[in-house]
Amino acid sequence: MKFSVPRRAAALSAVAALALAGFTGVSANAAPAAVAAPDIPLANVKQHLTDLQSIASANGGNRAHGRTGYKASIDFVKAKLDAAGYTTTVQQFTSSGATGYNLIADWPGGDPNQVLMAGAHLDSVTSGAGINDNGSGSAAVLETALAVSRAGFQPTKHLRFGWWGAEELGLVGSKYYVNNLPSAERSKVSGYLNFDMIGSPNPGYFVYDDDPTIEQTFKDYFAGLGVPTEIETEGDGRSDHASFKNVGIPVGGLFTGASRVKSSAQVQKWGGTATAFDRCYHSSCDSTSNINDTALDRNSDAVAHAIWTLSAGTTTPPPGKVFENTADVSIPDNGAAVTSTANVTGITGNAPSTLKVDVNIVHTYRGDLVVDLVAPDGSVYNVHNLSGGSADNIVQTYTVNASSEVANGAWKLRVQDKAAQDTGYINSFKLTFP
């Protein structure tokens, strides 16, 4: 977050003017009932922060504008979004004699005349890795965008995400984006949500008081958690939302505090100590140890809540990834178990709790068979155990909760004939990851 831009003036009258002019295109009255947002896994957000820390460590200790660490940060986020099905655009600009970059990611679908944006600045200052300022906001927005993809979310509005460069030099990247957005395109942006420093180690819970509907969306979320909020004033108008607000786009966002000292009343309200919200603000100690997990978790979930609520839509699971072995494997009569192997690649994280296992076994008596799914680490999930039934084949789809297993690796269908005078073979074995 950059603290050198003058404060805004006449905030309340500006909000009122926007509302009267009809710019608050996020009215809940006009939107269909929203689908509940998914929980954003804290571990995933923290992994993004670890990766950003590693990028800084490998590039002179920072991710600042014009430095190799910033370009590596852009490339890192872009690769995640490309793999998740986003249309990404890298926008170049020049500031202080160096090339800067914005990253824009559009989720396919939604009304192109109603665009809901969320963003965060990705650059750090030169003195440190910038993990709270602003890896925290960047990572939460990234993980929310990935959650949109995982859920197959189909919002009524078009979703767009942005990661801004050179914010620390005076909101340069976001200003460049907005100033180069034709007026007709600006009018399509129904709201911009900004997330700058949302994991401060001695946190407060601050909500921007700009667009009333966006503000209330965040307040309602935190009220549901029993967490009191305050209006954000320390960085009022001094982050990238100001670039959007200045051209009449409704804005809102979250903040957990920077160098200002937490008051005794705020300590009573939120806990912590009567010291700076972030003692490592713009310092070399703004590393992965400079994060409050509870604040990061709550705010990351709030990001997703706002995206789901303000865009409104439905969730349809995307087509699954299928891994199949169609080679015949003979099953010995009353003999040792045999296996058919499907090699799973390209799946991030663990297997789902709804892993689909399609079995096609040609056999003279299904009641003599024991059929197991064996995970890459050797864990066994029984899907058919001498259950009797008709004296014929097994052609069936099973659902297995294998959520504790790493997805990638060799998964095996293991079959054993436990009685004599039978013949058969595994015809095919297929895994479908939703």
Side-chain angles (χ1 to χ4, degrees):
M1 176 173 283
K2 179 65 176 175
F3 275 48
S4 62
V5 178
R7 287 184 180 273
R8 64 179 182 175
L12 292 177
S13 61
V15 171
L18 287 175
L20 290 172
F23 286 116
T24 53
V26 289
S27 170
N29 293 331
V35 176
D39 177 74
I40 299 300
L42 174 63
N44 292 9
V45 181
K46 292 191 70 176
Q47 182 60 56
H48 299 325
L49 295 182
T50 298
D51 292 335
L52 291 174
Q53 176 72 63
S54 297
I55 288 170
S57 299
N59 290 277
N62 66 69
R63 301 179 301 99
H65 167 73
R67 309 294 181 90
T68 55
Y70 181 71
K71 181 56 165 62
S73 299
I74 284 284
D75 293 342
F76 163 73
V77 176
K78 183 178 186 298
K80 295 279 187 183
L81 296 164
D82 287 341
Y86 281 83
T87 299
T88 59
T89 304
V90 176
Q91 187 179 51
Q92 293 189 22
F93 58 88
T94 301
S95 181
S96 301
T99 301
Y101 304 93
N102 293 325
L103 175 63
I104 310 300
D106 285 271
W107 181 240
D111 183 353
N113 293 311
Q114 296 186 82
V115 179
L116 179 66
M117 287 196 69
H121 77 87
L122 189 55
D123 63 315
S124 73
V125 292
T126 56
S127 58
I131 297 305
N132 185 39
D133 184 17
N134 181 38
S136 60
S138 293
V141 173
L142 172 58
E143 189 56 31
T144 298
L146 298 180
V148 166
S149 175
R150 287 194 298 266
F153 187 44
Q154 297 179 342
T156 301
K157 296 180 180 179
H158 179 77
L159 291 183
R160 181 176 298 157
F161 298 90
W163 289 262
W164 313 116
E167 187 268 0
E168 298 290 1
L169 302 184
L171 320 183
V172 178
S174 58
K175 286 179 181 177
Y176 183 86
Y177 173 78
V178 170
N179 290 342
N180 284 275
L181 199 62
S183 58
E185 293 302 311
R186 289 181 190 173
S187 67
K188 296 176 183 178
V189 181
S190 65
Y192 171 74
L193 315 178
N194 194 62
F195 304 99
D196 191 353
M197 300 181 66
I198 60 170
S200 299
N202 185 30
Y205 293 88
F206 299 99
V207 176
Y208 297 4
D209 64 334
D210 293 285
D211 178 77
T213 302
I214 299 174
E215 177 186 349
Q216 195 61 47
T217 299
F218 287 123
K219 285 183 174 180
D220 288 347
Y221 175 78
F222 283 104
L225 298 180
V227 176
T229 59
E230 291 184 8
I231 296 304
E232 197 278 317
T233 59
E234 183 179 7
D236 195 4
R238 299 179 179 185
S239 189
D240 293 296
H241 62 290
S243 301
F244 291 81
K245 180 181 176 180
N246 289 341
V247 296
I249 293 172
V251 300
L254 300 174
F255 177 59
T256 52
S259 57
R260 186 176 291 178
V261 174
K262 182 183 284 188
S263 70
S264 58
Q266 289 170 329
V267 171
Q268 283 192 320
K269 182 182 297 184
W270 294 316
T273 60
T275 56
F277 291 100
D278 183 357
R279 64 179 182 81
C280 290
Y281 172 67
H282 281 192
S283 300
S284 59
C285 58
D286 188 7
S287 65
T288 49
S289 62
N290 190 47
I291 291 290
N292 180 282
D293 284 359
T294 300
L296 184 65
D297 190 21
R298 287 171 172 170
N299 280 283
S300 297
D301 288 339
V303 175
H305 171 76
I307 292 294
W308 258 256
T309 300
L310 296 171
S311 67
T314 60
T315 298
T316 302
K321 292 187 176 180
V322 175
F323 302 88
E324 186 172 14
N325 188 344
T326 59
D328 291 346
V329 178
S330 296
I331 303 171
D333 184 26
N334 195 23
V338 295
T339 58
S340 175
T341 301
N343 291 304
V344 174
T345 59
I347 303 293
T348 302
N350 287 3
S353 60
T354 56
L355 179 63
K356 300 298 183 184
V357 185
D358 286 282
V359 175
N360 189 331
I361 298 173
V362 178
H363 199 265
T364 52
Y365 194 73
R366 64 186 295 165
D368 290 347
L369 298 179
V370 176
V371 183
D372 298 314
L373 176 67
V374 183
D377 72 346
S379 298
V380 178
Y381 299 85
N382 179 255
V383 295
H384 181 87
N385 186 24
L386 301 175
S387 59
S390 60
D392 55 16
N393 309 332
I394 300 177
V395 180
Q396 190 164 339
T397 298
Y398 301 91
T399 299
V400 174
N401 184 349
S403 57
S404 62
E405 306 292 342
V406 174
N408 289 336
W411 292 76
K412 299 178 180 180
L413 187 74
R414 186 175 67 190
V415 182
Q416 185 174 17
D417 182 357
K418 303 288 284 187
Q421 298 181 338
D422 295 313
T423 60
Y425 59 92
I426 303 172
N427 179 260
S428 67
F429 157 48
K430 180 172 69 176
L431 292 175
T432 303
F433 289 75

